[in-house]
Amino acid sequence: MDLAQQVDRVRDLAVRMRQAGCAIGPSQLAEALLAVTLVAPDQESQRLALRVTLARDQRALTILDQLFPWLLDASAEADQGAVLESAAPGLGRGVPIGHGAGAAPGPTERVAIPAASPAAGVGREALPAAAVDDDLSQGWVAPFLSWADRVGGPRATRGRRLDLRRTLRRSLTTGGEAFELIWRRHPVRRQSLVILDGSRSMQQWASQLLAVGRALRRRRPDTEVFAFSAETSRLSDRLSRPGLSLPAASWGSGTRIAVALDRVRAGAGLARRSHLSTVVVSDALESGPAMDLGQALARLRRRSAVITWVNPLADAVGYRPLTSSAQEASRAADRYLGLYALMRPQRGRSS
Amino acid sequence: MTKKAAGDPVGTVMEGLGAAGYVAGPQLATAVHLALTLPRPLLVEGPAGVGKTALGSALSAMLGRRLIRLQCFEGLDFSQALYEWDYARQLLALRAAEGGKDDPDLFSTRFLLERPLLSALLAADGPVVLLIDEIDRADEALEALLLELLGEGQVTIPEIGTLKAKAMPHVVITSNRTRELSDALRRRCLYAWIDFPTVAQERAILAAHLPKAGSHLAVQVARLMAALRQLELEKPPGVAEALDLTAAASALGADRLQRTVLEQALSTVIKSAQDRQLLLEGDGQRLDKALASAEEA
């Protein structure tokens, strides 16, 4: 393969990665082209060089690994069957790239890659079908978090330190005498807390609920995700595992949402937190006294700068919170909306 | 290094890092090689305790260059990271000049206090290795501050103008992904992901750092770590924990891991009460299972 062909292949790969949602700028592409000339010509070295230069996060690494066999196929096709030097046995088309010693593994799940459009001019053949990844449909997250940060009031601050620069500049107005000391405070980053209701009545939306948690955690990895039914469990570190389901109670005796909220609030690592951006996803069908739910929410409010209550039932046309527990929830929350309404910004764009 | 690079540059980097006590796989060595050759900052991500920070030190040792480290934290600002005016000296200079003819230039490099980023940029002893550690802990504003330095190798100080790097430092940025970094920062860096090492790699790391520990113990610890990382632990053990456990077992006079030794040294591996409870509940069944998998040939 001559240099011109190699340039074409790498450029095509970058185009495919862009189509899959990776932001690859011209300078990155130029770096990649340079990088492949700086390493050995075998497949594995080329792949590693492209991983370093074209990918900027784990997801991009996964996409590149999925596309690399396609790149090799295209190369082989262009070379009319020329055998490339290979240091990566099993690196065939459709075979997931082995993450052996030293290779960055990235996430294990495959990422959806759209088929190249004919207009792109790079679609030599269709890519392997990939499962739909709900993390791709997270366009609602940024506007949602932006709203939550905005309405939550000013961010909390901690500590204070003399701002010498501003003090000195202020003192210039008084002939060099520092009459007024100016202090600065450091803002504390706001952490998101997602509480998912896994009761039987919510199981029909289980996958969407988990998608909400995943999407928020992808955007802000310090997001804590909890689920409750009969028991409360922390899902934060397990969200990306395949086959994860919401913990469901094996009987339908109702859910004590208030108790669950208290458990989460007192849960590990949250006791000392404050100014959280809290999202509760539940149908608000409290089996205990509604007043308890109101009190639990008031306690949660002390830790939260903003509370969003997402009720899938609220997506129904003409829905109004008529039950006393739903009324308590809507009263305590800064925003009370349906699951569909939460994700509407993204849906609007895609339609 | 440049002369050797004509042959197998990636292998040379692996050897160089190895000589500095850092076991790197081909992926990381390729990233380091390209970061040095292109030259570009290297953004390293991965779980805690896999050797991201150690890479900076190893690179410094490999290149024989000074290491300047900026440890990031919430609230870190430009006056702690880049430069600060020496206000006390400025005030003294003002007082000294009172009544005199000289008008002191208060905003000259004479009154500039160099912080790690500026020190790295203006280092007189050639390019240094600049380690910006755990950048995800710092605020977004610091990322914006870094863009000019990483992209152009310069910083602009409003009162003075632009200061260009005498020699562009080799920059290693680490992140534990507690928050998403900006695209602008990522675009300016090469990217490497370091995951937990394989059993063979971990064994090599243990042998490199603790040559006195028995090889059987090292293999056992490496396998045990692999088994523990499969569990749903809140804080999966990293390489540092493997080193600590091996050192602890050696200090306890054990040449192989047994349940009693492991229980005594468990605090070197397990760093949270929940994880400890998870391992020891049910008479330590999970611990026994992990230990059994460490014994398997």
Side-chain angles (χ1 to χ4, degrees), chain A residues 140-154:
Chain A
W140 59 274
V141 177
F144 171 76
L145 288 173
S146 164
W147 166 82
D149 285 347
R150 205 171 51 247
V151 302

Side-chain angles (χ1 to χ4, degrees), chain A residues 196-241:
Chain A
L196 305 174
D197 183 346
S199 60
R200 290 184 69 172
S201 59
M202 289 290 289
Q203 283 296 320
Q204 57 184 310
W205 295 289
S207 61
Q208 287 96 325
L209 262 56
L210 290 170
V212 168
R214 259 196 292 270
L216 283 167
R217 195 166 160 80
R218 179 176 282 277
R219 185 78 186 184
R220 292 202 180 154
D222 61 348
T223 298
E224 288 285 2
V225 183
F226 290 84
F228 65 87
S229 54
E231 290 183 348
T232 306
S233 53
R234 181 172 175 266
L235 298 182
S236 309
D237 297 330
R238 290 185 279 152
L239 276 172
S240 58
R241 293 187 187 170

Side-chain angles (χ1 to χ4, degrees), chain A residues 60-90:
Chain A
L61 286 176
T62 311
I63 290 170
L64 192 148
D65 281 347
Q66 281 179 247
L67 283 170
F68 193 73
W70 165 83
L71 181 78
L72 293 183
D73 277 3
S75 306
E77 190 182 288
D79 286 350
Q80 295 181 334
V83 179
L84 293 172
E85 295 174 66
S86 173

Side-chain angles (χ1 to χ4, degrees), chain A residues 80-227:
Chain A
Q80 295 181 334
V83 179
L84 293 172
E85 295 174 66
S86 173
L91 201 75
R93 175 178 166 70
V95 178
I97 303 294
H99 299 303
T108 50
E109 75 269 19
R110 294 175 75 82
V111 178
I113 300 170
S117 64
V122 294
R124 291 185 176 85
E125 55 189 293
L127 288 164
V132 174
D133 183 63
D134 54 19
D135 284 341
L136 287 177
S137 58
Q138 55 167 356
W140 59 274
V141 177
F144 171 76
L145 288 173
S146 164
W147 166 82
D149 285 347
R150 205 171 51 247
V151 302
R155 286 166 68 187
T157 56
R158 61 168 173 74
R160 69 173 192 168
R161 206 153 54 89
L162 187 63
D163 191 334
L164 278 169
R165 170 186 285 257
R166 290 171 61 203
T167 302
L168 181 70
R169 285 180 187 269
R170 181 68 58 87
S171 74
L172 293 178
T173 64
T174 55
E177 294 297 337
F179 285 121
E180 187 183 355
L181 299 180
I182 299 176
W183 302 91
R184 78 171 91 168
R185 300 178 71 88
H186 296 302
V188 177
R189 193 180 302 142
R190 188 170 293 158
Q191 187 185 13
S192 294
L193 167 66
V194 181
I195 305 170
L196 305 174
D197 183 346
S199 60
R200 290 184 69 172
S201 59
M202 289 290 289
Q203 283 296 320
Q204 57 184 310
W205 295 289
S207 61
Q208 287 96 325
L209 262 56
L210 290 170
V212 168
R214 259 196 292 270
L216 283 167
R217 195 166 160 80
R218 179 176 282 277
R219 185 78 186 184
R220 292 202 180 154
D222 61 348
T223 298
E224 288 285 2
V225 183
F226 290 84

Side-chain angles (χ1 to χ4, degrees), chain A residues 31 56 102 158 184 241, chain B residues 27 40 74 77 186 189:
Chain A
E31 271 172 17
R56 287 292 184 269
R158 61 168 173 74
R184 78 171 91 168
R241 293 187 187 170
Chain B
Q27 169 73 46
R40 301 283 280 183
E74 205 170 314
D77 62 10
R186 288 181 181 276
C189 304

